[in-house]
């Protein structure tokens, strides 16, 4: 094994990060073990087949599993040893399995992986998708998925003459069909044995063993996965300690079973000790193929974001900006190492910016007075760069006859607690239940800007405080009363309010109120006739260097592509 270990070390030290160009003009990005290359998408392939387009080595015709079309290019992730091989684009054919069942959705993964030669079938041409997989079979598919099969043959064939079987797994013989893949996978750190010298190649691989193998393989290729949003796995506690990090890494590509035994409370089961089937392997690998390849767009390269992205934070309502930006700049942007899973909320994100923990914010509100004081105390000056239109809005229950309020009435309601009935502000005879946000929220900063004038929200009103941005929507919905009749009043941010229709019955149960006779609309906010119109901002520290990623992001957001991100995030683009 000494020869193999030395090869692994050589692989790590001979290649450094950087950008280069092949002799044929192909762009190449170097990493430690793999390189990312791209070529123009050929006009000989129809656009409708772009989703099936892959790359192959021109000298051998060997398909590259980790390849895909993105925008106007075909990208591939290949072993660094192959960085000088020319690649070309083509549409590979799927294998025709003898037991194919196109009505079975599980066959989709098999067909896709058969196109890139990861799944081959048995000697009878059968897929046998529900057969259990041995540890050796799993390793073979994983090595093919990484495009390492040729290197595995090469390196195992170069083992020195004094190599003895005792240096390796005792149950993996040189005469075994899987010797080269298991030996190479061990060298790459993808597999371990049941013990230092026992691999157990014929034992069925468990789901958690498979998950660990694939996670290590993806890490070896410098690939990442999107995080999972599923939270109802009923048996997460059954995952062995040594496999938990792998499950977290695999993220949304985890294989699981759906348990509908109790239709009222269906759950998902990981069954980590269950023997993995060929369908399980195909599910994870095919999803990883789609999800884990990260490629930078031309836009990203133009602004230097392929080399460095700013560390982004912001308010809850502006998280769609971050999602839209990463979606525009990268293929599978959610797998980028700097992609934030969420924003820290308005107040906390401003604190992080002032403390130098992040490079920039997407903010829908001007910083609150305590944030400005904190910045001043720390000698930090904030710079707000408008990138979109937004506005503060007030809303009530849908069946409330009231249609609007004046700014003066809003101040009287929230600062002076002057009214307890809608009839006192031009509405019908119904109790008025005002709701407010907590003082460290972005919405409260809007209240400070437009209504408080240095005052505090009245203590009686503060008794009905919504501490989460979405809560004020549901709190106002739930506050309506029938006997006596009463309607609630709440406030938020215009585009956040409208984007929440995906999650809450906003349009069915709530309605916006006119302020000083003007309804908030895209047009009135953009032209400034709505009195509570605002901007959304990129916020940076004033001393941020001119050529920094944060300033480049502010510049990008004002381009046509950046304004498309604004629109895709659900905000109003600047005129």
């Amino acid at each position: 094994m000494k020869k193999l270990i030395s090869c692994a070390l050589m692989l790590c030290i001979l290649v450094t990060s950087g950008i280069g160009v092949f002799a044929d003009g192909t762009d190449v990005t170097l990493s430690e073990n793999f390189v990312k290359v791209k070529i123009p998408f050929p006009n000989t392939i129809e656009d409708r087949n772009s989703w099936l387009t892959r790359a192959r080595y021109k000298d051998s015709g060997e398909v590259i599993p980790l390849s895909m079309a993105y925008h106007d290019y075909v990208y591939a992730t290949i072993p660094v040893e192959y960085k000088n091989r020319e690649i070309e684009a083509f549409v590979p054919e799927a294998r025709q399995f003898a037991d194919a069942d196109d009505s079975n959705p599980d066959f989709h993964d098999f067909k896709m992986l058969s196109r890139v030669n990861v799944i081959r079938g048995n000697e009878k041409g059968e897929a046998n998708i529900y057969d259990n997989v041995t540890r050796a079979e799993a390793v073979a598919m994983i090595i093919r998925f990484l495009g390492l099969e040729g290197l595995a043959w090469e390196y195992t064939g170069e083992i020195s003459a004094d190599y003895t079987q005792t240096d390796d797994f005792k149950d993996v013989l040189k005469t075994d069909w899987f010797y080269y893949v298991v030996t190479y996978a061990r060298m790459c750190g993808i597999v371990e044995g049941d013990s230092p010298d026992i691999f157990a190649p014929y034992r069925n691989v468990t789901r958690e063993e498979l998950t660990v193998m694939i996670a290590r393989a993806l890490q070896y290729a410098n690939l990442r996965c999107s995080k999972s949003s599923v939270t109802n796995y009923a048996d997460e506690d059954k995952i062995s300690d040594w496999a938990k990090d792998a499950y977290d890494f695999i993220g949304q590509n985890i294989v699981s079973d759906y348990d509908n035994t109790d239709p009222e409370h269906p759950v998902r089961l990981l069954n980590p000790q269950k023997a993995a089937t060929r369908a399980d392997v195909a599910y994870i690998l095919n999803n990883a193929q789609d999800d884990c390849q990260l490629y930078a767009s031309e836009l990203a390269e133009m602004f230097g974001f392929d080399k460095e992205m700013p560390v982004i934070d912001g308010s809850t309502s502006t998280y769609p900006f971050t999602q839209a930006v990463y979606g525009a700049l990268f293929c599978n942007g959610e797998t980028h190492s700097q992609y934030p899973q969420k924003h820290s909320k308005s107040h906390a994100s401003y604190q992080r910016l002032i403390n130098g923990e992040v490079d920039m914010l997407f903010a829908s509100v001007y910083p609150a007075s305590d944030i400005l004081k904190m910045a001043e105390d720390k000698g930090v000056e904030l710079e707000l760069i408008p990138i979109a239109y937004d506005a503060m809005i007030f809303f009530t229950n849908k069946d409330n006859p009231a249609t609007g309020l004046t700014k003066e009435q809003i101040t009287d309601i929230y600062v002076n607690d002057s009214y307890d009935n809608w009839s006192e502000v031009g509405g019908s005879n119904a109790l008025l239940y005002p709701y407010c946000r907590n003082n460290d929220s972005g919405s409260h900063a809007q209240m400070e800007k437009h209504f408080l004038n240095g005052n505090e929200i009245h203590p009686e009103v503060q008794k009905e405080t919504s501490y989460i941005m979405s809560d004020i929507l549901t709190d106002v919905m739930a506050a309506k009363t029938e006997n006596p009749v009463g309607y609630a009043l709440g406030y938020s941010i215009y585009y956040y309010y409208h984007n929440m229709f995906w999650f809450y019955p906003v349009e069915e149960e709530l309605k916006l109120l006119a302020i000083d006779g003007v309804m908030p609309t895209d047009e009135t906010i953009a032209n400034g006739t709505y009195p509570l119109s605002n901007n959304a901002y990129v916020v940076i520290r004033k001393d941020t260097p001119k050529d920094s990623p944060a300033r480049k992001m502010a510049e990008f957001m004002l381009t046509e592509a950046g304004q498309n991100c604004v629109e895709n995030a659900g905000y109003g683009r600047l005129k």
Side-chain angles (χ1 to χ4, degrees):
M1 180 55 70
K2 291 179 181 179
K3 176 67 177 294
L4 293 179
I5 292 175
S6 66
C7 290
L9 291 175
M10 286 173 59
L11 201 63
C12 293
I13 63 176
L14 288 179
V15 183
T16 58
S17 296
I19 306 294
V21 179
F22 289 155
D24 65 348
T26 302
D27 289 339
V28 54
T29 302
L30 301 181
S31 63
E32 192 170 80
N33 302 311
F34 280 70
V35 299
K36 295 179 180 180
V37 301
K38 72 175 185 180
I39 57 174
F41 189 90
N43 55 19
T44 55
I45 296 177
E46 297 181 16
D47 288 343
R48 64 188 178 92
N49 287 326
S50 62
W51 73 284
L52 293 172
T53 301
R54 298 291 183 267
R56 64 185 174 190
Y57 298 111
K58 198 169 184 178
D59 55 8
S60 66
E62 178 189 355
V63 63
I64 301 169
L66 292 173
S67 60
M68 65 193 307
Y70 172 56
H71 287 183
D72 296 325
Y73 292 90
V74 176
Y75 293 80
T77 298
I78 62 177
V80 70
E81 289 90 343
Y82 295 157
K83 64 184 178 69
N84 291 319
R85 294 177 69 179
E86 190 175 351
I87 68 170
E88 62 183 3
F90 80 120
V91 179
E93 295 290 333
R95 287 177 182 261
Q96 300 302 315
F97 294 107
D99 56 349
D101 180 5
D102 289 336
S103 65
N104 184 347
D106 289 346
F107 253 98
H108 171 74
D109 297 324
F110 271 72
K111 289 180 68 174
M112 294 304 293
L113 290 175
S114 76
R115 289 177 179 272
V116 292
N117 204 31
V118 173
I119 298 267
R120 297 173 178 171
N122 63 14
E123 64 280 356
K124 297 179 181 179
E126 298 168 329
N128 293 326
I129 67 175
Y130 297 120
D131 281 4
N132 292 337
V133 177
T134 66
R135 284 165 56 81
E137 291 170 335
V139 173
M141 284 186 276
I142 291 170
I143 289 296
R144 291 198 292 265
F145 176 77
L146 293 182
L148 293 172
E149 189 171 27
L151 287 175
W153 274 109
E154 178 182 343
Y155 276 102
T156 54
E158 290 180 355
I159 294 176
S160 58
D162 61 354
Y163 174 84
T164 61
Q165 189 67 49
T166 56
D167 291 324
D168 208 339
F169 294 124
K170 292 180 179 179
D171 54 354
V172 177
L173 307 178
K174 293 182 180 180
T175 54
D176 292 327
W177 69 265
F178 48 79
Y179 171 77
Y180 72 106
V181 290
V182 172
T183 302
Y184 194 75
R186 188 187 198 188
M187 183 200 79
C188 297
I190 294 172
V191 300
E192 295 179 358
D194 286 354
S195 68
D197 58 356
I198 297 295
F199 180 66
Y202 298 105
R203 176 171 64 77
N204 288 335
V205 68
T206 66
R207 282 182 168 182
E208 64 180 2
E209 288 175 329
L210 176 67
T211 301
V212 170
M213 288 180 185
I214 295 177
R216 288 174 178 164
L218 294 173
Q219 289 169 330
Y220 182 76
N222 197 28
L223 301 177
R224 299 168 61 90
C225 301
S226 299
K227 295 295 183 181
S228 174
S229 59
V230 178
T231 58
N232 65 333
Y233 295 119
D235 59 348
E236 281 188 282
D237 59 326
K238 299 293 194 302
I239 302 173
S240 299
D241 288 342
W242 50 265
K244 289 180 179 177
D245 288 344
Y247 273 89
D248 182 63
F249 181 87
I250 292 295
Q252 69 173 12
N253 306 307
I254 293 172
V255 67
S256 62
D257 300 319
Y258 186 74
D259 184 359
N260 198 30
T261 305
D262 180 359
E264 296 297 320
H265 302 92
V267 297
R268 290 191 176 277
L269 296 172
L270 295 171
N271 288 320
Q273 281 81 43
K274 180 180 177 181
T277 64
R278 289 169 59 79
D280 292 337
V281 180
Y283 177 86
I284 300 178
L285 290 182
N286 189 48
N287 278 283
Q289 183 184 48
D290 292 335
D291 174 60
C292 302
Q293 296 184 71
L294 176 71
Y295 300 115
S297 68
E298 281 193 295
L299 273 174
E301 294 174 0
M302 185 186 307
F303 285 86
F305 297 136
D306 57 323
K307 299 179 180 65
E308 185 179 6
M309 278 287 284
V311 180
I312 300 173
D313 204 347
S315 59
T316 302
S317 65
T318 61
Y319 188 58
F321 278 130
T322 295
Q323 293 174 305
V325 163
Y326 271 92
L329 296 176
F330 300 97
C331 172
N332 292 322
E334 291 185 7
T335 67
H336 195 286
S337 60
Q338 289 180 236
Y339 181 81
Q341 295 305 309
K342 62 180 181 179
H343 280 179
S344 300
K345 299 184 180 179
S346 181
H347 195 274
S349 65
Y350 269 112
Q351 286 181 311
R352 295 187 70 203
L353 179 63
I354 292 168
N355 292 333
E357 299 171 39
V358 298
D359 299 323
M360 56 161 283
L361 310 180
F362 284 122
S364 62
V365 295
Y366 199 80
S369 56
D370 63 327
I371 287 294
L372 293 174
K373 180 66 165 58
M374 178 192 299
E376 182 182 358
D377 291 345
K378 295 197 174 186
V380 173
E381 187 175 355
L382 299 177
E383 182 178 347
L384 282 75
I385 303 167
I387 60 167
Y389 289 124
D390 205 355
M392 185 183 192
I393 46 92
F394 286 80
F395 52 89
T396 185
N397 304 100
K398 188 75 174 261
D399 51 359
N400 184 354
T403 59
L405 294 168
T406 67
K407 291 180 68 175
E408 183 179 358
Q409 288 171 337
I410 293 172
T411 298
D412 284 339
I413 291 170
Y414 281 95
V415 176
N416 303 321
D417 192 30
S418 299
Y419 311 116
D420 58 13
N421 196 291
W422 282 95
S423 63
E424 298 175 277
V425 290
S428 63
N429 181 23
L431 295 177
L432 192 160
Y433 311 126
Y435 278 76
C436 67
R437 290 296 315 283
N438 44 302
N439 285 1
D440 60 353
S441 68
S443 297
H444 181 78
Q446 293 280 31
M447 284 294 287
E448 287 188 327
K449 176 180 178 180
H450 293 292
F451 299 104
L452 298 187
N453 298 316
N455 299 307
E456 294 288 334
I457 290 179
H458 196 279
E460 285 300 311
V461 179
Q462 289 189 45
K463 291 179 180 179
E464 301 296 345
T465 298
S466 301
Y467 287 92
I468 298 176
M469 196 164 188
S470 60
D471 281 358
I472 198 162
L473 302 176
T474 55
D475 288 345
V476 169
M477 290 178 192
K480 184 182 71 171
T481 57
E482 301 291 342
N483 189 21
V485 175
Y487 305 109
L489 174 67
Y491 53 86
S492 188
I493 307 300
Y494 177 80
Y495 285 104
Y496 175 81
Y497 173 92
H498 279 294
N499 288 335
M500 285 298 101
F501 82 92
W502 290 103
F503 309 101
Y504 304 101
V506 174
E507 296 178 354
E508 292 81 5
E509 298 195 27
L510 300 175
K511 70 176 183 180
L512 296 178
L513 294 170
I515 305 299
D516 289 344
V518 182
M519 282 294 293
T521 66
D522 291 342
E523 183 178 359
T524 61
I525 291 170
N527 64 27
T529 56
Y530 178 67
L532 305 183
S533 297
N534 301 300
N535 289 113
Y537 308 93
V538 165
V539 186
I540 57 178
R541 294 164 62 115
K542 192 79 170 180
D543 59 0
T544 301
K546 183 178 180 180
D547 60 348
S548 66
R551 284 203 181 274
K552 289 180 180 177
M553 181 59 70
E555 178 186 346
F556 167 75
M557 294 304 296
L558 296 176
T559 65
E560 180 67 20
Q563 288 296 291
N564 288 339
C565 291
V566 165
E567 197 165 55
N568 291 336
Y571 281 74
R573 59 194 299 151
L574 296 178
K575 298 298 183 182

